[in-house]
Amino acid sequence: MENIFKNNIIRLKEVDSTNLEAFRHASTCAVVADCQTAGKGRMGRTFVSENNQGLWLSILETDILSSELTAWAGVVICKILRKHGLEAQIKWPNDIQVNGKKICGILCEMKNQAVVIGIGINLYQEDFKDLNSIATSAKLCNIFIDKEILLSEVLDGLNQMLLDYPSKKEVYLQYFKEKCNTLNQEIAIQIEGDVKKGIAKDIDNNFRLIIELSDGSIVTKDSGQCLTLGNP
């Protein structure tokens, strides 16, 4: 099976952001860098991506424009990391965690009739300094993953994901629910400018989080900062 991303890999020693570089390229491609100087996270946050310490990757796709691809990509990455022996789980909406700590972040952005999916996977870090309580790496989990092998697996997985979209949505949705560690937890989430507490009850057919608030009302969120109370 031809892989459209493996045929168009842009390799860089250093870049501001692989997502930005993919948008600059403006056609189907994969951008992988040894280091990002301005790695991007959700809601304008910085994603720490040190030199050769992880897989820092973005793909650009022009045929499928959907914010659901964040969740679909989460399923792809979760499966791959579990295959390598990591007890990976999905923290809604866009993180992969091991033992309650972030090992991977996913950022999906759309503009100019293109979608870029950015993926950062921590592989070799031994110390996250002030982030030790919330971040981890494969090495800290006593798992070694070769970056080039992982890159190949991720590109194959993302390529297959796009072929599966949207016909295999139910398969991806079921896996997302099974591995989502946010469900059935007490959470705090921002709703209309206020932080409210509730229970994460379910994931709907569009990968949105269904929350029962403390007053008994039900709300649905398609994105947002979600804090699992009692956990990082």
Side-chain angles (χ1 to χ4, degrees):
M1 179 181 64
E2 182 183 12
N3 188 308
I4 56 175
F5 302 115
K6 285 184 174 179
N7 292 336
N8 297 279
I9 298 179
I10 301 167
R11 293 179 178 268
L12 301 168
K13 287 289 186 183
E14 183 178 287
V15 70
D16 51 356
S17 157
T18 55
N19 270 28
L20 290 175
E21 183 64 24
F23 276 124
R24 287 192 286 261
H25 195 67
S27 61
T28 299
C29 66
V31 178
V32 60
D34 292 340
C35 175
Q36 294 183 107
T37 59
K40 300 175 68 177
R42 287 181 60 255
M43 303 172 71
R45 296 186 180 91
T46 298
F47 185 90
V48 178
S49 39
E50 298 174 337
N51 190 39
N52 288 312
Q53 294 299 295
L55 177 62
W56 322 128
L57 166 73
S58 296
I59 63 165
L60 184 141
E61 162 65 17
T62 57
D63 293 331
I64 300 172
L65 302 178
S66 171
S67 60
E68 285 186 14
L69 292 180
T70 300
W72 285 62
V75 168
V76 169
I77 302 303
C78 188
K79 284 184 176 181
I80 291 171
L81 294 182
R82 292 182 74 88
K83 189 186 75 171
H84 283 280
L86 291 161
E87 292 296 320
Q89 294 181 298
I90 301 170
K91 179 180 181 291
W92 185 92
N94 69 317
D95 288 344
I96 307 297
Q97 294 185 331
V98 177
N99 299 323
K101 296 183 178 183
K102 181 174 178 175
I103 195 169
C104 171
I106 300 168
L107 178 64
C108 182
E109 298 182 290
M110 287 183 284
K111 66 179 180 180
N112 300 330
Q113 295 303 301
V115 60
V116 165
I117 304 172
I119 296 168
I121 304 175
N122 299 328
L123 295 178
Y124 309 125
Q125 298 94 328
E126 297 183 72
D127 186 3
F128 288 93
K129 300 180 175 62
D130 58 337
L131 298 177
N132 278 328
S133 64
I134 60 173
T136 192
S137 68
K139 186 170 186 177
L140 286 172
C141 297
N142 298 312
I143 299 289
F144 175 80
I145 304 176
D146 182 274
K147 186 168 71 171
E148 285 301 312
I149 291 175
L150 182 62
L151 172 62
S152 179
E153 292 172 337
V154 170
L155 292 180
D156 282 341
L158 294 174
N159 189 67
Q160 184 61 52
M161 174 192 80
L162 295 174
L163 294 174
D164 291 341
Y165 185 91
S167 63
K168 294 189 177 180
K169 182 174 186 175
E170 186 58 37
V171 175
Y172 282 75
L173 180 62
Q174 183 61 35
Y175 188 92
F176 191 99
K177 288 184 178 184
E178 288 174 1
K179 296 298 185 284
C180 182
N181 62 5
T182 309
L183 289 179
N184 303 312
Q185 300 295 316
E186 185 181 13
I187 64 169
I189 194 163
Q190 192 170 57
I191 298 174
E192 296 179 351
D194 295 324
V195 176
K196 297 187 178 182
K197 295 180 181 180
I199 303 296
K201 302 295 287 187
D202 202 358
I203 305 291
D204 75 5
N205 289 337
N206 295 309
F207 295 91
R208 297 179 300 187
L209 187 64
I210 300 173
I211 308 154
E212 182 179 348
L213 298 179
S214 53
D215 64 4
S217 61
I218 302 294
V219 297
T220 302
K221 290 284 289 182
D222 58 5
S223 63
Q225 175 70 7
C226 177
L227 176 66
T228 302
L229 300 180
N231 290 310

